[in-house]
Amino acid sequence: GENVEQHPSTLSVQEGDSAVIKCTYSDSASNYFPWYKQELGKRPQLIIDIRSNVGEKKDQRIAVTLNKTAKHFSLHITETQPEDSAVYFCAAGNNFGNEKLTFGTGTRLTIIP
Amino acid sequence: SAVISQKPSRDICQRGTSLTIQCQVDSQVTMMFWYRQQPGQSLTLIATANQGSEATYESGFVIDKFPISRPNLTFSTLTVSNMSPEDSSIYLCSVGTGTPYEQYFGPGTRLTVT
């Protein structure tokens, strides 16, 4: 089955700086890579996703890149703000067949004011 | 997106009892999933709830412990049976929907077993 590794497990950055979280996956059949943000006591919230037919996707201050050859994808947050503090999860799956997702272990991001 | 609700939001149960968690979606969806999230941990898929057929369980999860119903395209239940303190966790339902496909989570049910 799919295996997703996520690094780092914790990340602290100064407000205004950029944050990068990296994930690798094992199953070459995976073609859908969402990122979720989970604030304390809340549900995971889908913030951005990328599919295997593109290499990069941006939405305001967040961007995701995908390297299918190397089987890794990354989340980039620019101009970080205190409200970006949360746990971020990457996931991998496919939107053909059973569509289940395998999640990474999470990154606790802390923005230092 | 989809509006997903879960009941109950939290519960405290005695060991040996069972709890049924309900998940309701505001639109018809093909794929519904049940996850467990233990404190400070990632999300672990319990099973995929298939409408009109048996749920598909992941390794380490069995139907006798986590029976699932999926009577229609907007509703599912997960039962945690014969509970022990190790079952204390957050249980989340998730739905897959849309074109392009995306997955969304319900608010979760926080279960404490004493």
Side-chain angles (χ1 to χ4, degrees), chain A residues 26-108:
Chain A
S26 62
D27 188 350
S28 57
S30 291
N31 63 2
Y32 175 55
F33 307 94
W35 287 87
Y36 291 85
K37 174 184 180 182
Q38 188 174 33
E39 296 174 274
L40 189 63
K42 302 281 185 67
R43 74 184 80 187
Q45 177 188 3
L46 178 66
I47 57 170
I48 195 168
D49 56 22
I50 191 167
R51 294 163 210 274
S52 59
N53 56 342
V54 297
E56 183 174 0
K57 182 177 179 181
K58 286 186 73 172
D59 183 4
Q60 299 183 339
R61 295 187 296 107
I62 60 173
V64 57
T65 58
L66 171 64
N67 183 325
K68 283 216 72 178
T69 303
K71 295 201 191 76
H72 65 71
F73 56 112
S74 300
L75 177 72
H76 304 251
I77 306 175
T78 59
E79 301 173 20
T80 53
Q81 301 169 2
E83 53 264 37
D84 294 328
S85 294
V87 179
Y88 291 80
F89 293 99
C90 64
N94 66 77
N95 57 6
F96 309 107
N98 63 14
E99 291 97 358
K100 68 178 184 180
L101 295 176
T102 301
F103 282 81
T105 49
T107 297
R108 181 174 299 278

Side-chain angles (χ1 to χ4, degrees), chain B residues 4-65:
Chain B
I4 308 166
S5 60
Q6 280 185 240
K7 291 181 183 178
S9 58
R10 60 177 63 226
D11 208 340
I12 302 172
C13 301
Q14 291 193 336
R15 69 172 69 207
T17 62
S18 298
L19 176 72
T20 295
I21 302 167
Q22 299 179 6
C23 179
Q24 180 77 51
V25 190
D26 68 340
S27 58
Q28 294 186 338
V29 295
T30 304
M31 307 302 297
M32 291 185 80
F33 308 90
W34 287 97
Y35 287 84
R36 183 171 73 182
Q37 186 175 32
Q38 297 183 308
Q41 301 294 312
S42 184
L43 298 133
T44 302
L45 182 63
I46 298 171
T48 301
N50 305 307
Q51 195 266 334
S53 65
E54 292 283 335
T56 304
Y57 289 84
E58 296 300 304
S59 176
F61 298 96
V62 295
I63 188 172
D64 289 347
K65 176 68 175 176

Side-chain angles (χ1 to χ4, degrees), chain B residues 59-110:
Chain B
S59 176
F61 298 96
V62 295
I63 188 172
D64 289 347
K65 176 68 175 176
F66 297 102
I68 286 170
S69 77
R70 179 84 196 273
N72 57 52
L73 293 175
T74 64
F75 186 78
S76 178
T77 67
L78 169 75
T79 299
V80 186
S81 302
N82 189 25
M83 289 183 285
S84 67
E86 292 71 36
D87 294 320
S88 297
S89 190
I90 297 173
Y91 293 86
L92 299 117
C93 73
S94 173
V95 304
T97 188
T99 303
Y101 176 86
E102 293 178 334
Q103 279 196 18
Y104 300 95
F105 283 88
T109 296
R110 183 180 295 273

Side-chain angles (χ1 to χ4, degrees), chain A residues 9-30:
Chain A
S9 57
T10 61
L11 179 61
S12 296
V13 301
Q14 290 290 141
E15 182 178 352
D17 287 351
S18 295
V20 180
I21 303 170
K22 299 182 179 182
C23 291
T24 60
Y25 64 99
S26 62
D27 188 350
S28 57
S30 291

